[in-house]
Structure formats: structure tokens, C-alpha cells
Amino acid sequence: MNRFSFFALCVLLAVCLLGAIVVILYYHSLSRDVKSVNVFNISFSASFNIDTIEHDNLGTEKTYLKIEWNPTTRKMNFQQNEVFSSNYDFDYELFFIMTDDKATIGLSHMNSSLAFCIEDISLLKWLDVFQHIVTVDNWRSDAKSSRCRGDIWFTKHNGDIIEICTYDNHLDYVKYQNDRAMLAKWTTTDERNIRIRSDVLNGPCGNVTYFKCNNLHNVPKVKRDSGISPTTCLFVHGAGENANGNDVKPDLTHYWGDIKSQTSDCASHKFLVYNSRDNGWDEDQIHQHFCNVAATNGIITDTVIFSHSMGNLVIAAALHRQKCTFNQVTSRWYSVQGPWTGSVVANTLSKICRNPTLHQILIRRILRAQGYCKPTEDREFDVYTTLKTDYISPTGIRYHHLIQIGKKFVSGVMCGTSNWGLAKHYTESFALKMMQFYSNLEKPNDGMVALESCKLKDDQFEARSSERYYKDKFNHADGTCRNGGCPCKWYHYMH
């Protein structure tokens, strides 16, 4: 072999070797992109802890999860416990259990507990997340992180990113929507210890039915008769706000959520604020406060009003007493989950707060924590007294007066038909579920208000958020938009 041939052979070998290295690196990068070792191919039991949440001056809430997964049957058992430690004397623990297509929720304190079946539910956040991650295959790799001892993987779910850390052939953490579930215990086992409670008060439990809000329709927004879009959107909240005085703010996210993004066509946003915990809907100074904010020279013009729950009664009472007037040509008023005939739940709430039965003593703990019962007195907050079905205001106003005003001026109505609802905060959902159960509230209802009390008018209600008269499976809190979902889209269509 001459010197040239030898040199050519060396070059050829080098090129081949370089090509082989490139191919190896390429396929290695692909193996980093697509998950190759699936820790969910084995049966396991795992426990997770989630960061503590502070609740203003009330106390703290800690979440614990337990997952049991069997890849052969493709079945997952799930348990979520919320431990609430209060600054007052009403600590408690809530639990949600899902197994074999059945679900229960319950409440416990020391040696006392009670549980209920739920059969018509939307998925809890973490149940939804874990059901997704044990079945999805399209995981992608990510860079190393100081928070992860092993490999980071991520996948999309409901428009958000689920991030997991795998280490030593098990999960180390799961992160979703800025919340992180940290592994406390991992066991490779076929054993199943999560079981449905046998002592449920409304059992035996049937199989659950999952629901999601219906598909949205790409339709134009509601047109104004005048052809002119109002310049202001005014939001009037309902019961439970402990404001120090009357005010108007540019936002109120803890109550209304991200509703401003759903009503972006408003030239301005106003959020009425008043003490709706210690005052009822018939308080004179609240009526005057509403008219001062909503009206110019005593007339409400160029405004879209959205009022939730008792906020509807506040507006109707103010108009009935002629504190201001409403211009229907340039303005619109939309009623959200209004208790137009009062609420049977308020009747029962008063009994539980004041004189609970043995079981209801436990329920009163969560009602105190949620701001329905006073924390240091055996009675409800004053606002709920004014929402009883037999309440007659000292002003002389009765519910039928409010209904007359509502029927005259309201342009659209949104009502909920599920006491469990979207369950973004299942402490809230549990409280509504319990009140509905003990009050025998007429079905369908949103946990606080029956559909027949909410409807106001006899118009045809549709389960589409593009309709002016809209009903769907969400609860009394969901209708504010603070829990997301289809109720938020209704505000978008209406404004």
C-alpha cells in the first residue's frame, strides 16, 4: 500500500468514526427527549406532601396525598387529606377517597368523623394530575436542577406543564401550577390499603360520573340595543366579605379571580367592596354606596353590572328604594346565582351554628373556618340571617319586591347545578355539599341556592356559556370565576 492510499484509508476511517459518534450522540439525545424508563410500569404505593398554605388570620392548611397504582389493571386509588390548623378552636381534617370508580368525602376531628358519597364530580386537581402522569407516554426531558436529584421530565396537561423528577426508579416530586408534591414514601407493592368508607351517611356509594363544562361555541358577544358598548364594568360581590368599610377597587381577585382578562373589552373595571359579613342585603348605607359608585347624577348609564349571590339583592333593594335609577338603553345587568327567594341553606346554617346535633358539631368546625358561623359565638354571621327564606326586612322590602325589580332590569342569568362543582378548593366544595345535604335543598342547586330560586325568569336556560341564560355543573363559589372554567367564559360573552 502506497503512502497516499494509506492516508486516504485513515481519512475514511476517521470520517466513519466521526459519523458513528454523531449518530450515537443523536440517538442519545432522542433518548433524552422521549422517556425510556417508565417508573409507572410497576405497582407502587406513594405518599406526598404539599407546601403549607396560610389563610390570613385563620390558620394553616396542609395537604397530603396517597397514590396506589397497578399498571396491569390500569387502576389508581387516590386519597387526599387536608389538615386545617386554626388559630381558634376548630381544627379539623378533610379527606377525599377515590377507588374502584367510587368516591367519598369526609371530615374528622380527634375521635369523631363522618363521610358522604359523591357520585357526580369534576376531577380534583391532584387526582387529575396523577391519573394523567401514570398513563401518558409523551414525556420530554429537561435540564438538570438543584431541586431534582435525578432526571427531570415534563408533559403538557390542560394547557399547563406537569414536571416530575425521577430518582432511583421512583418519583421524587410532581410540580403543577406552581405547587409541588414532594415524595414522603415510595413502596413497590401490589397491596391496596385505600378503601371506600363503609359508614357513609348517604351510602351505599354508586359509581362516579365525571363532568366537564360543555364545549364553547364561537359566537359573537351579546349585542347592545344601542349599538354602543358600555364604558364601565361594575362587579358587585355577595356575602362573606369582611371589609373595614365601603370602597371601590380596580380589582378583587380573591373573590372574582382573573375576571378582568375575561372582560378585556371593558374600558374600565370597578369592583364594589362593602362589609357583607356583618351586614345584610337591606343595609341602607350599602344601597347608597352602590348608587354612589354605579350612577352619575342618580342614573346608571353606559355600564355593565355583574352581581353575584346576595349582590343581586343589594342592587334590587337600592333600585326599589329609588336610591338611583337604571337606564336600560345604555346599560345591562347580569345576575349570577342570586338567591331571589332566599336560601333554605341559610335556615339550616343558623340551626347548625346555634344548636348543632352531635354530627353537626363536627360540621360547625368547617363552617366556622369558612366564615359562615362566628368563630367564638354559637351563631351565624348576621348576613346569613337576612338570607333566610322567611326574612322580612325592617325596611319593609320582601323578596317579591326584589324579584319584580330583577325581572324588569336583568338581561341575563347564570346558575349552578352542582354542589360539588369544579372542586378547585375542595374545602369550599365540602362545606357547600354538607349544607346542601343537611338542608335538603331542592335539586338541582349550587350548594347554596336552588336553581328555581336563581332562575328569576322563565327563559330557556342552556348549558352553554355563550347563552344569556346559562346553567351548568358548578357550585356557588365557582360562579364568581375565581375557580376558572366555563363560568369565566360567560362573562366574556356577556360583556
Side-chain angles (χ1 to χ4, degrees):
M1 180 182 297
N2 60 38
R3 181 178 299 177
F4 176 79
S5 299
F6 178 77
F7 177 76
L9 180 61
C10 289
V11 171
L12 179 62
L13 290 173
V15 169
C16 293
L17 180 60
L18 180 61
I21 292 174
V22 169
V23 170
I24 291 171
L25 290 175
Y26 173 76
Y27 280 103
H28 178 69
S29 68
L30 286 182
S31 68
R32 293 289 298 165
D33 283 340
V34 182
K35 191 166 191 208
S36 56
V37 179
N38 192 339
V39 300
F40 310 120
N41 283 336
I42 57 174
S43 295
F44 67 85
S45 172
S47 300
F48 296 86
N49 302 333
I50 299 174
D51 292 340
T52 300
I53 300 174
E54 299 284 342
H55 289 285
D56 297 328
N57 296 321
L58 282 176
T60 61
E61 183 179 357
K62 182 75 174 180
T63 302
Y64 301 91
L65 308 175
K66 185 174 182 180
I67 315 296
E68 295 174 345
W69 167 246
N70 187 321
T72 303
T73 62
R74 309 294 288 176
K75 292 285 187 179
M76 185 182 75
N77 296 341
F78 177 88
Q79 181 167 343
Q80 179 169 332
N81 289 55
E82 304 280 349
V83 179
F84 191 90
S85 299
S86 170
N87 296 333
Y88 302 96
D89 184 28
F90 47 83
D91 298 352
Y92 62 87
E93 181 174 346
L94 282 177
F95 57 84
F96 171 89
I97 297 173
M98 176 79 183
T99 178
D100 297 327
D101 297 321
K102 295 178 174 58
T104 55
I105 52 173
L107 174 67
S108 63
H109 171 71
M110 299 179 68
N111 295 324
S112 301
S113 66
L114 63 154
F116 297 83
C117 302
I118 43 176
E119 299 178 0
D120 189 17
I121 67 171
S122 59
L123 289 176
L124 272 71
K125 170 181 170 178
W126 287 109
L127 172 59
D128 190 23
V129 166
F130 275 93
Q131 283 194 341
H132 181 78
I133 68 176
V134 296
T135 55
V136 69
D137 292 323
N138 59 332
W139 292 95
R140 318 299 293 181
S141 68
D142 202 354
K144 295 287 186 179
S145 168
S146 59
R147 293 295 301 269
C148 179
R149 299 178 294 172
D151 296 318
I152 294 179
W153 306 89
F154 63 91
T155 187
K156 280 191 174 181
H157 181 54
N158 293 334
D160 290 303
I161 297 294
I162 298 176
E163 175 188 315
I164 67 170
C165 170
T166 59
Y167 174 73
D168 196 21
N169 221 22
H170 64 249
L171 276 177
D172 211 38
Y173 69 71
V174 178
K175 182 181 178 182
Y176 184 68
Q177 295 178 339
N178 296 320
D179 292 323
R180 191 184 302 265
M182 297 296 300
L183 181 70
K185 183 180 180 181
W186 180 282
T187 305
T188 304
T189 178
D190 290 321
E191 187 177 348
R192 296 290 176 262
N193 295 313
I194 300 176
R195 295 182 177 86
I196 291 295
R197 293 280 295 266
S198 60
D199 58 344
V200 291
L201 297 183
N202 61 340
C205 298
N207 289 351
V208 298
T209 300
Y210 299 109
F211 63 81
K212 292 184 178 180
C213 54
N214 291 339
N215 293 331
L216 304 177
H217 293 254
N218 187 18
V219 298
K221 296 174 186 175
V222 175
K223 293 182 179 179
R224 316 292 171 225
D225 293 340
S226 64
I228 302 174
S229 295
T231 58
T232 300
C233 288
L234 174 63
F235 299 85
V236 182
H237 65 72
E241 286 298 292
N242 184 27
N244 292 325
N246 296 328
D247 199 358
V248 58
K249 295 185 177 182
D251 212 340
L252 199 66
T253 54
H254 74 271
Y255 191 95
W256 292 100
D258 190 24
I259 204 166
K260 289 179 73 171
S261 69
Q262 299 293 336
T263 53
S264 57
D265 285 351
C266 301
S268 64
H269 293 80
K270 293 182 179 180
F271 292 83
L272 199 75
V273 178
Y274 60 98
N275 187 327
S276 60
R277 191 187 69 171
D278 302 306
N279 298 298
W281 55 263
D282 56 346
E283 182 65 34
D284 179 78
Q285 49 93 10
I286 296 176
H287 299 160
Q288 192 59 59
H289 173 48
F290 163 74
C291 286
N292 289 344
V293 173
T296 302
N297 297 323
I299 304 174
I300 301 172
T301 58
D302 296 328
T303 302
V304 170
I305 299 176
F306 292 104
S307 49
H308 178 251
S309 190
M310 190 190 76
N312 295 284
L313 309 187
V314 168
I315 297 173
L319 295 176
H320 177 77
R321 300 181 68 197
Q322 298 183 343
K323 296 287 184 179
C324 53
T325 59
F326 191 86
N327 185 329
Q328 288 180 276
V329 177
T330 65
S331 297
R332 292 293 181 271
W333 172 17
Y334 293 100
S335 169
V336 181
Q337 298 172 300
W340 290 101
T341 59
S343 174
V344 174
V345 168
N347 303 349
T348 303
L349 177 65
S350 179
K351 295 176 183 177
I352 295 177
C353 294
R354 294 169 184 259
N355 188 27
T357 64
L358 184 60
H359 271 154
Q360 291 172 352
I361 290 174
L362 199 55
I363 294 294
R364 187 170 63 180
R365 289 182 173 273
I366 193 171
L367 295 181
R368 282 176 167 169
Q370 290 291 303
Y372 295 105
C373 303
K374 292 191 173 184
T376 57
E377 298 179 45
D378 292 342
R379 58 166 298 171
E380 73 279 10
F381 278 103
D382 296 342
V383 62
Y384 298 106
T385 303
T386 71
L387 292 173
K388 292 181 180 179
T389 55
D390 59 354
Y391 180 72
I392 300 175
S393 171
T395 63
I397 303 177
R398 301 193 179 201
Y399 286 120
H400 73 267
H401 296 128
L402 305 178
I403 291 172
Q404 288 173 359
I405 295 295
K407 285 185 175 180
K408 182 177 180 180
F409 294 114
V410 166
S411 299
V413 179
M414 176 164 63
C415 299
T417 59
S418 168
N419 50 66
W420 181 252
L422 303 178
K424 184 174 181 180
H425 303 287
Y426 89 91
T427 305
E428 196 172 57
S429 294
F430 182 88
L432 292 170
K433 177 76 175 179
M434 295 306 95
M435 287 191 290
Q436 181 274 330
F437 175 81
Y438 281 109
S439 63
N440 293 315
L441 182 61
E442 178 186 358
K443 295 181 179 180
N445 61 72
D446 63 13
M448 181 64 74
V449 178
L451 178 62
E452 285 303 311
S453 181
C454 171
K455 285 172 64 175
L456 184 62
K457 299 183 179 183
D458 294 328
D459 294 71
Q460 184 67 36
F461 279 72
E462 302 288 345
R464 293 194 301 270
S465 58
S466 56
E467 299 294 330
R468 283 195 299 147
Y469 295 89
Y470 169 52
K471 65 176 181 178
D472 214 338
K473 291 184 176 181
F474 48 85
N475 67 29
H476 198 69
D478 297 331
T480 63
C481 185
R482 64 175 173 257
N483 294 331
C486 282
C488 294
K489 298 305 297 182
W490 184 78
Y491 292 95
H492 170 76
Y493 286 121
M494 294 306 108
H495 87 285

